[in-house]
Amino acid sequence: MRIPFSRAAARAAALMPPDPGLLRMVAALRATSAGLLTFLLVAALGLVLPLTVFDRILGFAVALFASATLRDPKRPQQAVTILLAGVSASLTVTAAALLSSHRIVTELLVPVIMFAATYGSTRAPRWSAVGTVSLIAYIVALVTHQSPGSLAGGLLTVWLGVAGAAVIRFVLIPDRPAADLRRLRRSIRRRLAAVLAMIAEVVQAGRWSAIRRAAFRHELDRLDEAILMTETRLTATGADAAGLTLYLLELQLTTQHVARAARQDIGNEARRPRLSDTLTMLARGLLADDPIPVPVLSQRPAGELESALALLATVLHEAPKPMLEPVSFPPPIPPPAGIWPGLHPALQAAVAAALAISFGELVSHGRWYWAAFAAFAMFQGTRSRGESIAKVAQFMVGTLAGVIAGVLLATALAGHTLLSLAMIVAAVFLAFQAYMAAYGVMVFWITIILALMFGMMGYFAPELLLVRLEETSIGAASGVLVACLVLPRSGRAVIETAFASLLRALGYGVAAAVTRLTGGEDLPDLPGALLMSAQRLHDLHVAVTPVLSGPGTLRNPLLRERVLLLQACDEWAQELGRFALQGVRLCDPDLLALARTTAATISANIAALLEPVPPGDRTEPPRLSLPAVPLNDAQHYAVRLLLRIDAAILRLMTRDPRPLDRRPGTQLCRGDQHTAKST
């Protein structure tokens, strides 16, 4: 039985996630190089100073995480973060050394540090890095038995690790945003060429098969990922960033238009040879990094797909143009009141760590920190019980696979120090390349690293990895228990917040697009509004994945329908924005009036979905229809997109009339207010 392409691709991506522009590879290389440089430097100083192999491990860990967790966009900010990480790591190492004779106190301090680290991760990237480095330094100091007598060597090692991370980051492998963007743009061209080549294959075959549709969806997802990473990386560029952002947005919207047209109509037998030649010419030009040839632009389109390809060729032929106005975003959605924004996950992490330490001590007196760290990891980047449980599953699968592979590797490499060291370096690189992309794979490699490190130190036994598996299970169980019982936040609450956020961004994007289409007051942040809407849709998919992919999938038809409706709305809003950005204006009086009426209806319906409205106060929206105008007119198609969005929002209201956001004082984005005022 042949495995469908989508499943095979998903499994391959889980083991080796796609890496557009090699950004994760470069980040893993920085982290590994910083750790290795510090390890060798401490080993060299150990020839003249009383530094031990445990100091090497501490320096390696500090340098590794100081480099891997750095997320600040600018070099001065990065330098300050690394400096603060060194200060905080010095404090935690000092605490571990001075309190080494008070076991209970050192264990009680772990939940406190985890609380601070988790709370910091919710505030800003800087404090996430500082908190993580502090926690890692404290745990490693406990594991390596730092004492007051060895404190001087431990502090020296910490600052050597900080210096190693700074040298790698600022001197040997510095940030090169321009080079990163060149690689990302090449990756975009390759991914776009793959999309066009796949359409060409379908055109030649004359039909879409299930496997081809799955493969096509996979290639579109990889193209979107490359564009998203490029847009994120643009924060580190100069004044040209706004123009390139707009260019990428237009390229993404145009490619989506080509994909939709290809799914609907691949042409008849007479049109297919011309379509195939055009697709092949575009794909070859993208792969060769050549300018798109002019003859493609001069052909007279004979259908929707030909028109979409001509538009794509036009976008590819033109260079990005600098924007006079910077890309901005709608006002951020205010966080809910109370303790939830930061204290909620921090309290959960602290309680879970305390519980894990208590039960971990019963299994192994000296290995409880594995249980504590497993509990801590559960609440990093998760927003609900469902996400925490899904992360536990990845953690356990990665640990179990790592235990099996670690026993085999450590046994095979026993007595071969250089080979073990080389394998550790390779495993560290692979672990941090999967960092933030494939969590279970990262845990797998970290477990192998532990096995090899124990083997190098001469006291590896398979029982140690079994203890790690037991402690990890205790930490995971503690995390699940806390996530479900201590200040639980249900997946429904997270999903409803994601729905409300997407509706706000969608309403603002539609309002900004209609304002341009109707010739009203120009809103310079339409590109930012479209980007924000796409990001909110991604957040919604992340929130619903634990529910729709779990055992209760068949029991959630309403949730699936809501996601599909909003996904369609976002797709239509993006295409509507493309028309507005390309200069389409509604000149026909009937279309102009209909667009304004529809925009006002959409704004009112979104407000009704977001805010509590008594059923008796709701008015039936008017039934809208298009006037008799040519069907192939761009103005007519833009209004059709508006009517589709309005119909989908109305469907949402009739399927689930309850408001998505019951918080008092909820207001629409300023884009919605502007549209209501102008209509």
Side-chain angles (χ1 to χ4, degrees):
M1 178 178 178
R2 187 170 184 179
I3 298 175
F5 181 89
S6 57
R7 294 183 181 178
R11 291 170 183 171
L15 295 175
M16 186 59 67
D19 189 10
L22 304 178
L23 294 189
R24 283 197 296 271
M25 189 196 75
V26 173
L29 182 61
R30 285 196 187 102
T32 307
S33 300
L36 185 59
L37 175 63
T38 304
F39 185 90
L40 295 176
L41 186 57
V42 175
L45 288 177
L47 299 176
V48 295
L49 296 175
L51 300 177
T52 65
V53 66
F54 298 112
D55 293 314
R56 300 177 198 174
I57 295 173
L58 176 60
F60 181 86
V62 169
L64 189 72
F65 282 90
S67 178
T69 59
L70 200 60
R71 292 289 180 271
D72 297 283
K74 302 296 183 181
R75 182 171 293 190
Q77 298 170 338
Q78 294 172 359
V80 172
T81 300
I82 290 179
L83 180 63
L84 290 174
V87 173
S88 63
S90 299
L91 293 175
T92 55
V93 169
T94 301
L98 296 180
L99 299 174
S100 58
S101 59
H102 304 279
R103 181 176 58 85
I104 296 179
V105 178
T106 58
E107 293 177 3
L108 290 176
L109 197 55
V110 171
V112 176
I113 298 176
M114 288 187 177
F115 174 88
T118 305
Y119 184 77
S121 66
T122 65
R123 311 312 299 174
R126 164 173 294 168
W127 304 118
S128 175
V130 171
T132 302
V133 173
S134 303
L135 177 62
I136 293 297
Y138 183 75
I139 291 179
V140 173
L142 293 180
V143 173
T144 56
H145 305 291
Q146 291 288 332
S147 63
S150 62
L151 179 58
L155 293 177
L156 174 61
T157 300
V158 166
W159 286 103
L160 286 175
V162 170
V167 167
I168 294 296
R169 191 82 188 198
F170 301 135
V171 180
L172 299 181
I173 313 179
D175 277 336
R176 292 189 174 90
D180 291 344
L181 288 177
R182 285 195 297 270
R183 292 199 306 272
L184 284 166
R185 291 181 68 179
R186 285 196 297 269
S187 178
I188 290 173
R189 293 177 75 93
R190 288 195 300 269
R191 297 271 61 83
L192 182 54
V195 169
L196 296 177
M198 197 163 292
I199 297 176
E201 291 178 3
V202 173
V203 169
Q204 293 171 3
R207 68 183 184 89
W208 284 96
S209 65
I211 293 178
R212 282 197 178 100
R213 286 186 183 277
F216 188 62
R217 181 69 262 170
H218 175 71
E219 290 298 336
L220 285 176
D221 289 342
R222 295 186 67 181
L223 174 62
D224 289 342
E225 181 184 9
I227 293 177
L228 178 62
M229 292 185 71
T230 305
E231 291 167 347
T232 302
R233 191 59 178 152
L234 283 173
T235 57
T237 61
D240 183 56
L244 187 53
T245 299
L246 181 58
Y247 174 79
L248 290 173
L249 177 63
E250 186 175 8
L251 179 62
Q252 187 175 27
L253 297 176
T254 308
T255 305
Q256 291 171 357
H257 181 42
V258 172
R260 284 193 296 273
R263 289 193 186 101
Q264 295 170 2
D265 180 20
I266 56 175
N268 53 33
E269 293 185 2
R271 290 163 50 199
R272 285 173 192 162
R274 176 181 170 183
L275 272 173
S276 179
D277 292 342
T278 302
L279 288 161
T280 302
M281 187 181 303
L282 286 171
R284 288 176 178 173
L286 288 165
L287 289 174
D289 206 14
D290 293 334
I292 301 303
V294 175
V296 176
L297 309 180
S298 60
Q299 296 177 359
R300 182 179 180 82
E304 187 176 358
L305 181 55
E306 289 93 330
S307 300
L309 289 174
L311 179 59
L312 177 61
T314 303
V315 173
L316 292 171
H317 186 74
E318 297 175 348
K321 300 175 182 178
M323 289 179 61
L324 298 179
E325 297 284 350
V327 175
S328 57
F329 289 98
I333 296 163
I339 67 172
W340 303 115
L343 295 183
H344 170 255
L347 287 171
Q348 284 186 317
V351 174
L355 194 62
I357 291 171
S358 301
F359 286 100
E361 279 278 12
L362 301 178
V363 174
S364 175
H365 180 68
R367 310 285 184 224
W368 54 265
Y369 47 82
W370 283 337
F373 195 78
F376 168 76
M378 274 194 56
F379 299 100
Q380 304 305 301
T382 57
R383 297 167 295 179
S384 67
R385 289 175 295 192
E387 291 184 17
S388 298
I389 293 172
K391 196 167 186 178
V392 163
Q394 298 179 48
F395 201 104
M396 293 304 301
V397 170
T399 301
L400 179 59
V403 165
I404 297 172
V407 169
L408 296 176
L409 280 173
T411 303
L413 297 177
H416 299 77
T417 304
L418 292 180
L419 287 177
S420 297
L421 182 60
M423 187 62 200
I424 288 175
V425 172
V428 168
F429 175 81
L430 293 172
F432 280 88
Q433 189 181 29
Y435 183 63
M436 300 298 291
Y439 188 74
V441 177
M442 183 187 72
V443 173
F444 168 79
W445 288 114
I446 288 178
T447 305
I448 290 178
I449 292 167
L450 292 173
L452 293 173
M453 288 178 63
F454 283 127
M456 282 184 61
M457 290 186 288
Y459 52 88
F460 170 77
E463 291 79 8
L464 285 175
L465 290 186
L466 293 179
V467 170
R468 169 171 167 75
L469 185 59
E470 293 174 354
E471 294 283 0
T472 298
S473 301
I474 290 173
S478 301
V480 170
L481 187 64
V482 170
C484 295
L485 299 180
V486 179
L487 299 176
R489 192 178 188 196
S490 66
R492 176 178 176 81
V494 175
I495 290 171
E496 297 300 335
T497 300
F499 269 117
S501 300
L502 175 55
L503 277 172
R504 288 191 187 93
L506 184 67
Y508 182 77
V510 170
V514 171
T515 301
R516 286 199 180 189
L517 288 169
T518 57
E521 180 185 350
D522 193 33
L523 297 179
D525 48 359
L526 174 59
L530 298 178
L531 292 173
M532 178 66 79
S533 179
Q535 181 61 49
R536 293 292 180 251
L537 179 62
H538 172 75
D539 295 342
L540 175 62
H541 280 298
V542 172
V544 302
T545 294
V547 178
L548 294 183
S549 62
T553 300
L554 298 179
R555 298 195 298 271
N556 288 282
L558 178 59
L559 176 61
R560 184 177 294 278
E561 182 182 4
R562 293 170 73 193
V563 173
L564 291 176
L565 284 170
L566 282 177
Q567 182 172 332
C569 285
D570 180 77
E571 185 174 311
W572 296 328
Q574 297 285 337
E575 191 163 4
L576 186 71
R578 177 176 63 84
F579 279 114
L581 290 172
Q582 290 171 352
V584 174
R585 297 294 180 266
L586 300 180
C587 302
D588 184 277
D590 293 334
L591 288 178
L592 191 63
L594 181 58
R596 288 173 174 166
T597 302
T598 307
T601 304
I602 292 172
S603 178
N605 288 341
I606 288 179
L609 281 169
L610 288 172
E611 298 185 15
V613 178
D617 294 345
R618 292 181 180 174
T619 58
E620 183 70 19
R623 295 184 178 274
L624 306 173
S625 59
L626 281 171
V629 294
L631 293 179
N632 59 354
D633 184 75
Q635 301 179 47
H636 179 274
Y637 189 68
V639 179
R640 282 176 58 197
L641 291 171
L642 269 174
L643 291 175
R644 290 176 184 174
I645 296 171
D646 178 60
I649 297 296
L650 183 60
R651 172 73 173 176
L652 279 173
M653 297 180 67
T654 57
R655 290 292 287 159
D656 191 2
R658 293 171 296 176
L660 293 173
D661 191 346
R662 298 181 182 272
R663 293 196 302 263
T666 304
Q667 299 294 331
L668 291 177
C669 296
R670 55 187 172 93
D672 300 317
Q673 297 167 351
H674 176 84
T675 301
K677 181 174 65 176
S678 63
T679 54

